[in-house]
C-alpha cells in the first residue's frame, strides 16, 4: 500500500468519494469549493488501485487543520486503511506547523476516530440528514 499526496482534486479521489458518499450513503452535495484548495491523500493497494481518500485544509476560523471526506471502499474496510490515512494527514499537518487536527465526524463513525485519539466537542449537528459531531486531536 502506498499513499500519494495531491495538491489538486484528483479523479481517483472523486470516484472513491462518489462511490462511498453518494452511491452508498446517499449524500447529494459531496463536492465543494474546499476541494479546489485542499490537499488530497489517496491510498493505493498493492495492485495500484485507489481504495481510500481524505482531504486536509487549514481553517483559520478554527485555528486548526481540518481532516475531511475520509472514504474507504467497502471491500477494504476493517483493514486499518482509514487509520493509515489519518496518520498520513497528521504527518502532513505537523510538517506544515499545525498543532491540532479537527474533523466533522458522522456520529456512527466517532468510535473509529476515538481509537485514533480524537475527542468530541460541541453539539451534534445535522448534515444532509446525518448526525455529525466535531472532534479534535492535538498533535
Amino acid at each position: 500500500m502506498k499513499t500519494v499526496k495531491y495538491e489538486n482534486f484528483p479523479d481517483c479521489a472523486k470516484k472513491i468519494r462518489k462511490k462511498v458518499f453518494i452511491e452508498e450513503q446517499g449524500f447529494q452535495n459531496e463536492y465543494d469549493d474546499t476541494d479546489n484548495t485542499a490537499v488530497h491523500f489517496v491510498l493505493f493497494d498493492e495492485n495500484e488501485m485507489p481504495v481510500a481518500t481524505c482531504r486536509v485544509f487549514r481553517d483559520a476560523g478554527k485555528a486548526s487543520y481540518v481532516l475531511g471526506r475520509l472514504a474507504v471502499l467497502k471491500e477494504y474496510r476493517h483493514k486499518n486503511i482509514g487509520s493509515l490515512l489519518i496518520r498520513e494527514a497528521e504527518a502532513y499537518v505537523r510538517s506544515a506547523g499545525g498543532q491540532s487536527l479537527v474533523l466533522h465526524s458522522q456520529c456512527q463513525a466517532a468510535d473509529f476516530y476515538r481509537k485514533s485519539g480524537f475527542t468530541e466537542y460541541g453539539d451534534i449537528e445535522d448534515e444532509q440528514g446525518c448526525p455529525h459531531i466535531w472532534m479534535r486531536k492535538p498533535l
Side-chain angles (χ1 to χ4, degrees):
M1 301 250 179
K2 82 173 175 181
T3 305
V4 178
K5 179 181 82 161
Y6 294 88
E7 300 290 333
N8 59 357
F9 189 19
D11 286 339
C12 54
K14 289 176 192 171
K15 288 176 184 172
I16 294 168
R17 285 173 43 187
K18 179 180 184 215
K19 188 164 184 91
V20 172
F21 293 125
I22 297 172
E23 295 172 8
E24 186 182 321
Q25 297 182 4
F27 289 96
Q28 298 302 309
N29 303 316
E30 174 50 26
Y31 311 117
D32 59 25
D33 289 340
T34 301
D35 286 319
N36 299 324
T37 57
V39 170
H40 297 266
F41 293 91
V42 178
L43 192 133
F44 293 83
D45 71 7
E46 44 289 326
N47 297 316
E48 299 191 22
M49 295 292 300
V51 299
T53 189
C54 71
R55 70 181 187 187
V56 177
F57 60 94
R58 175 105 174 97
D59 185 327
K62 295 191 180 316
S64 184
Y65 282 80
V66 179
L67 169 72
R69 304 300 206 269
L70 187 130
V72 178
L73 294 178
K74 189 178 240 178
E75 57 271 26
Y76 289 87
R77 292 182 196 149
H78 306 291
K79 297 181 181 193
N80 295 316
I81 290 172
S83 298
L84 283 171
L85 276 177
I86 290 172
R87 287 195 296 277
E88 292 283 346
E90 290 172 353
Y92 167 77
V93 170
R94 280 189 205 96
S95 72
Q99 298 183 6
S100 66
L101 191 58
V102 300
L103 56 87
H104 203 214
S105 172
Q106 294 179 19
C107 288
Q108 57 90 14
D111 280 341
F112 165 75
Y113 292 110
R114 272 190 223 103
K115 289 175 186 170
S116 288
F118 288 84
T119 56
E120 295 97 338
Y121 70 94
D123 297 323
I124 293 175
E125 301 169 337
D126 181 88
E127 191 170 307
Q128 295 187 55
C130 180
H132 280 66
I133 186 78
W134 281 101
M135 301 183 82
R136 175 183 297 121
K137 179 179 181 179
L139 300 177

